[in-house]
Amino acid sequence: MAPEPEKEITMEEVSKHNTTEDCWIVIGNDDTGGPKVYDITTYLDDHPGGSEVLLDVAGKDGDEFFEDIGHSNDARDELKKHMVGVLKLTPEEIEQRRLDKENKIGGGGGGGMGVVAVVVAAVAAAYFYYKNSIEES
């Protein structure tokens, strides 16, 4: 017997479940098997970090927060118990996720180097101003 196909759920639907009485979140990305939808309503009181952190991402994509914390395998196993489906993405949402990932990996286009260049230019200008003011004295 073939396994039952996973239910596809849109982000619009997920966004409607954002309260303590009805709390869904999206966790997952291309590197972890794709975004999945979880109904964590019954888990809110059991979460070791408190329900508040979960409610902050209720009805949203909480994958980045989940991964940044570095959850254990036990936490990932617990999460599986609450899965209600997979996130159905539109072509636009797929492209936006791809761009977000590129920007995260690429550092957002090198904006940090621009700051370094401005600081170096300011230091150089201050040095030349100071050097010229001493020579004129």
Side-chain angles (χ1 to χ4, degrees):
M1 181 179 211
E4 198 172 309
E6 295 176 329
K7 181 178 179 183
E8 291 186 327
I9 302 168
T10 64
M11 199 65 217
E12 180 181 357
E13 177 64 26
V14 173
S15 70
K16 296 174 185 175
H17 303 271
N18 60 5
T19 67
T20 56
E21 294 81 27
D22 184 19
C23 185
W24 289 13
I25 59 171
V26 174
I27 303 288
N29 55 60
D30 292 339
D31 298 331
T32 60
K36 303 212 174 22
V37 180
Y38 300 91
D39 180 350
I40 56 167
T41 308
T42 59
Y43 184 68
L44 290 173
D45 291 334
D46 297 328
H47 186 255
S51 62
E52 298 81 19
V53 295
L54 297 176
L55 291 169
D56 284 345
V57 292
K60 301 176 188 169
D61 187 334
D63 184 64
E64 186 172 348
F65 297 107
F66 184 83
E67 294 301 335
D68 286 349
I69 298 296
H71 283 87
S72 67
N73 287 335
D74 288 342
R76 293 173 189 278
D77 289 342
E78 178 64 35
L79 189 61
K80 289 176 186 175
K81 298 175 190 176
H82 302 279
M83 191 176 115
V84 292
V86 296
L87 185 64
K88 180 179 182 180
L89 297 167
T90 65
E92 294 82 13
E93 290 170 325
I94 292 169
E95 178 64 10
Q96 186 60 52
R97 282 176 170 263
R98 186 189 67 75
L99 291 172
D100 290 347
K101 184 177 181 179
E102 276 182 17
N103 286 338
K104 186 176 181 183
I105 292 171
M113 287 306 292
V115 172
V116 171
V118 169
V119 170
V120 168
V123 169
Y127 170 76
F128 287 113
Y129 174 79
Y130 174 74
K131 185 176 179 185
N132 286 339
S133 66
I134 289 180
E135 289 176 1
E136 291 176 5
S137 300

